[in-house]
Amino acid sequence: MANDRPLAAHEILDALENVSDNEEDYRERLICILPPPVDPDCLTDEDSGEEDNVTLNNLPRNILLQPAEVMIQGQIMVSDTEEEPSDSTGRTKRRRTYAWRKRDLAKNPVNWPDVQGACQDKRPIEWFENFLDEDVISLLVSESNKYAVKKNLPGDITTEDMKCFIGILLVSGYSWLPRRRMYWENSPDTKNELISSAMTRDRFDFIFRHLHVNDNLDLQDKYTKVRPLVTLLNKKFLEFSPLEEHYCVDEAMIPYYGRHGCKQHIKGKPIRYGFKAWVGATRLGYVLWMEPYQGATTMCNPIYKELGLGASVVLTFCDVLISRGFDLPYHVVFDNFFTGTPLLEEITKKGLRCTGTVRENRTSSCPLITSKLLKKKERGAVDYRTTHDNTFIIAKWHDNNIFSIASNAVGINPKQSAKRFSQSEKRNIVIEEPHMVSIYNKYMGGVDRSDENISHYRIGIRGKKWYMPLLTHMIDLAEHNAWQLYKINHGKLDHLGFRRRVAIALIESNRKNAKRGPSRPSHHEHADSRKDQMNHLVIPQSKQTRCRQCHKKCLTRCKKCDVGVCVKCFETYHS
């Protein structure tokens, strides 16, 4: 009974009258007729006809021609599509309706081809330079120099300077200090010899203040300051990504505590304040695609806009997978923020597969058992329905709580065993878990895993510009993806060991070998130990140095403090 337009009331009546008498479905039908439009030429607001004697055979013509729906136990069964009134933006929404059957989803198994290449034996710095290559470094150098020139300062940042600068940022992720200048301070508890000998403090500050990617060229894009870097790295992430069958889409948070129109607060997240980003990743956390969230202007494919933000994000990531050109049936997993029946249909049209939890108000009136009744059944009970054309399945499962899940790729069977703790019995029990739930639990955590890996050694040097957390996050993301590729190719180093190797290689290969002059001692040098009045002795020294007290040349020093002190200042310095 599919039509390009809603059926009129008289067409529904004719169809019901022509139903054969031997049909087994005797459920009650309810016809809902939309009110007729008001005739502008009518001078009265009274209805025509007799109100007390209205039957199906005595309906006026204007009512019989109105769009109508037939409901079977609360389920729409007549037309595949129906036009809804336009919303405030002028867009016309379309809602698909389905006929449901209680049967499992019948799909042919997919034989995923083995298309992986041979393992590559590369050093950690070589994996890292797959992403921060000459294109990315030249972008950072050229734009930073332009930004410095606009401030009437010399734009003399070189490629070696930028690589050494990035290496210092990576070191700050695992050797964190509360102030960045403490890395150069002449104090034994904070001074980092690797950093202080590779680049001067003032040179690092100059690069950090003028680190730039783009000017405000696109006023519609709230992330135009970092857009070239995000676009370039997304391209490289996809180019070197491992070819896998399953991927997940979820949100990630980039910590930021300043003021910006795109800053989000998500209660209950490990990072509650910051920039939100949509991320597509593998099961182990390799990130293929990242797009910062900016409300209605989020950079998703505009052809999906009428499907909503969540569907637009997933379909945009599906287009990214398809753009790889392998023509493979990828399987995408996502949570209930994204899932809806229109999204399932669009992904099916693209030839891809998907699985995701779904909210009960997005199931297109699927006649599943109510949550209240399902909760009274034993743990592990499941109820499910499949569309009449076997496109996708929606199921409701009783676990710790009741939740719904949908898929166009896998169904209920084969069920698997899952271990759960029973509060009533105070012991672990084994329940049956639907196959689609197993797939979801196995492949959904990739984005969370990448967030966790990055959070362990996130760059610790902060700046005052709002886009600095985004720039440093992209560097952390490139290092994390490089480590993922290293592990896939049977590398032995853990994340910390890999990051240290990359940082040391960047600093040692691009450091300046200019000899540094004498530097001022720290104000906290021997601040307390020199006054303890224990074992402080004056001894001669062969080389002249400056007295710590009067700053004149002297030939004596304190044996315990190991600093030059003249005889006449010895008592004053230690009291």
Side-chain angles (χ1 to χ4, degrees):
M1 285 182 147
N3 253 329
D4 293 335
R5 61 174 179 79
L7 297 182
H10 72 93
E11 294 173 326
I12 292 179
L13 293 173
D14 292 341
L16 292 178
E17 290 177 355
N18 294 330
V19 173
S20 59
D21 295 335
N22 58 359
E23 184 182 7
E24 297 181 357
D25 189 0
Y26 295 103
R27 292 179 293 178
E28 179 182 359
R29 270 78 168 177
L30 175 65
I31 301 177
C32 301
I33 305 174
L34 299 180
V38 178
D39 187 357
D41 298 329
C42 184
L43 300 179
T44 178
D45 57 355
E46 297 181 359
D47 294 333
S48 60
E50 186 177 351
E51 294 183 357
D52 298 330
N53 188 24
V54 178
T55 63
L56 290 177
N57 298 322
N58 189 27
L59 290 175
R61 182 176 181 274
N62 59 347
I63 292 181
L64 290 173
L65 294 179
Q66 292 310 301
E69 299 172 351
V70 58
M71 309 290 293
I72 302 179
Q73 293 184 350
Q75 179 187 353
I76 303 174
M77 295 290 292
V78 173
S79 58
D80 288 340
T81 60
E82 74 169 338
E83 294 280 355
E84 290 188 357
S86 300
D87 57 12
S88 59
T89 60
R91 293 178 299 172
T92 301
K93 296 183 179 180
R94 301 182 67 86
R95 185 179 62 191
R96 173 75 185 271
T97 55
Y98 306 91
W100 302 94
R101 300 181 182 179
K102 185 165 184 178
R103 64 179 182 182
D104 197 8
L105 189 68
K107 295 285 186 179
N108 295 325
V110 174
N111 295 322
W112 185 259
D114 185 11
V115 292
Q116 299 290 352
C119 291
Q120 304 179 48
D121 186 14
K122 290 183 178 181
R123 295 177 291 123
I125 186 62
E126 293 177 325
W127 288 112
F128 181 72
E129 288 178 345
N130 284 340
F131 306 115
L132 264 73
D133 58 0
E134 295 302 323
D135 294 337
V136 176
I137 298 298
S138 61
L139 171 67
L140 295 173
V141 170
S142 61
E143 292 297 329
S144 298
N145 283 332
K146 290 179 183 178
Y147 188 60
V149 170
K150 288 182 179 180
K151 293 189 173 184
N152 294 325
L153 295 171
D156 56 353
I157 302 174
T158 63
T159 299
E160 291 75 16
D161 288 341
M162 186 58 66
K163 290 182 178 180
C164 186
F165 172 81
I166 293 174
I168 294 174
L169 292 180
L170 293 176
V171 170
S172 71
Y174 59 85
S175 180
W176 182 82
L177 290 175
R179 298 190 183 101
R180 69 170 181 264
R181 291 197 165 199
M182 295 175 70
Y183 289 105
W184 289 267
E185 187 177 299
N186 276 337
S187 182
D189 62 332
T190 62
K191 183 177 181 180
N192 189 304
E193 191 63 33
L194 176 67
I195 292 176
S196 61
S197 62
M199 179 179 287
T200 64
R201 180 196 65 191
D202 292 343
R203 186 61 175 171
F204 180 88
D205 286 346
F206 178 83
I207 300 175
F208 192 76
R209 287 196 307 268
H210 300 95
L211 186 63
H212 210 63
V213 175
N214 192 22
D215 290 329
N216 295 323
L217 301 180
D218 185 4
L219 298 180
Q220 300 298 323
D221 185 7
K222 297 179 182 179
Y223 292 103
T224 185
K225 287 282 191 181
V226 296
R227 180 60 59 186
L229 182 62
V230 172
T231 302
L232 191 56
L233 284 181
N234 274 340
K235 179 181 177 182
K236 296 185 181 301
F237 292 161
L238 182 65
E239 178 182 353
F240 293 99
S241 62
L243 191 59
E244 298 185 5
E245 180 180 0
H246 297 87
Y247 299 91
C248 63
V249 179
D250 204 354
E251 60 186 14
M253 289 292 288
I254 304 169
Y256 175 68
Y257 301 97
R259 297 181 179 179
H260 193 268
C262 294
K263 189 177 83 168
Q264 299 285 309
H265 170 245
I266 302 180
K267 185 178 180 181
K269 287 284 187 178
I271 300 173
R272 291 184 298 166
Y273 295 93
F275 298 109
K276 184 168 72 172
W278 306 118
V279 176
T282 63
R283 180 179 67 89
L284 295 178
Y286 181 95
V287 174
L288 288 79
W289 170 78
M290 192 272 285
E291 176 58 42
Y293 169 73
Q294 52 180 318
T297 57
T298 301
M299 296 297 179
C300 294
N301 197 327
I303 64 175
Y304 308 127
K305 190 174 182 180
E306 64 178 7
L307 298 176
L309 176 62
S312 299
V313 170
V314 175
L315 292 173
T316 301
F317 177 66
C318 290
D319 291 341
V320 170
L321 294 177
I322 295 174
S323 67
R324 304 177 75 178
F326 294 105
D327 194 21
L328 294 173
Y330 302 106
H331 194 149
V332 185
V333 183
F334 35 82
D335 62 19
N336 59 17
F337 176 84
F338 308 93
T339 314
T341 53
L343 175 60
L344 297 174
E345 284 199 348
E346 289 295 328
I347 293 180
T348 305
K349 292 177 183 177
K350 291 179 178 293
L352 303 184
R353 299 173 294 155
C354 63
T355 301
T357 54
V358 60
R359 300 173 184 176
E360 291 191 21
N361 59 349
R362 296 183 183 177
T363 58
S364 296
S365 302
C366 182
L368 295 172
I369 187 174
T370 62
S371 300
K372 185 177 180 180
L373 293 177
L374 185 60
K375 203 160 189 176
K376 295 180 180 179
K377 296 187 176 183
E378 63 179 4
R379 196 166 177 180
V382 61
D383 188 30
Y384 54 91
R385 297 292 187 277
T386 307
T387 56
H388 69 286
D389 55 356
N390 198 51
T391 302
F392 57 85
I393 183 175
I394 298 179
K396 187 179 289 188
W397 187 49
H398 182 193
D399 191 15
N400 294 332
N401 205 346
I402 306 296
F403 72 95
S404 301
I405 187 169
S407 177
N408 71 344
V410 292
I412 302 299
N413 296 311
K415 293 183 179 179
Q416 301 179 9
S417 299
K419 184 183 293 186
R420 296 291 188 272
F421 182 78
S422 174
Q423 287 289 348
S424 59
E425 302 179 22
K426 302 299 180 182
R427 64 181 181 87
N428 289 327
I429 60 174
V430 177
I431 64 175
E432 288 187 335
E433 184 179 66
H435 184 50
M436 57 198 305
V437 177
S438 302
I439 292 294
Y440 178 83
N441 290 336
K442 184 177 181 180
Y443 297 104
M444 184 55 203
V447 176
D448 293 335
R449 181 171 292 188
S450 67
D451 283 349
E452 181 183 3
N453 293 338
I454 291 174
S455 67
H456 289 161
Y457 312 111
R458 192 185 302 276
I459 291 175
I461 295 178
R462 294 183 180 180
K464 293 185 177 180
K465 295 183 175 66
W466 69 266
Y467 53 85
M468 194 59 65
L470 293 167
L471 294 180
T472 56
H473 179 77
M474 297 305 295
I475 296 174
D476 282 329
L477 192 55
E479 182 270 331
H480 170 264
N481 278 355
W483 176 62
Q484 289 288 336
L485 294 181
Y486 172 80
K487 293 293 288 183
I488 291 174
N489 287 271
H490 307 297
K492 303 299 183 182
L493 295 174
D494 61 0
H495 192 192
L496 178 58
F498 181 87
R499 189 181 183 99
R500 293 181 65 187
R501 286 277 299 273
V502 171
I504 293 173
L506 286 172
I507 294 174
E508 290 183 344
S509 300
N510 300 281
R511 65 193 304 170
K512 298 294 184 181
N513 294 321
K515 185 178 179 181
R516 297 183 61 192
S519 57
R520 182 183 304 173
S522 171
H523 294 292
H524 305 291
E525 183 185 41
H526 308 304
D528 296 304
S529 62
R530 72 185 186 184
K531 300 177 182 180
D532 60 5
Q533 299 181 359
M534 296 174 60
N535 301 325
H536 294 282
L537 301 174
V538 180
I539 60 173
Q541 58 181 4
S542 59
K543 186 179 179 180
Q544 255 188 357
T545 59
R546 294 283 181 178
C547 175
R548 281 290 193 269
Q549 186 67 25
C550 65
H551 305 297
K552 294 180 180 180
K553 293 181 179 180
C554 64
L555 291 172
T556 57
R557 65 191 301 104
C558 176
K559 182 179 180 180
K560 180 179 180 180
C561 299
D562 196 26
V563 296
V565 182
C566 59
V567 176
K568 66 177 182 179
C569 296
F570 188 84
E571 183 178 358
T572 306
Y573 180 74
H574 291 90
S575 61

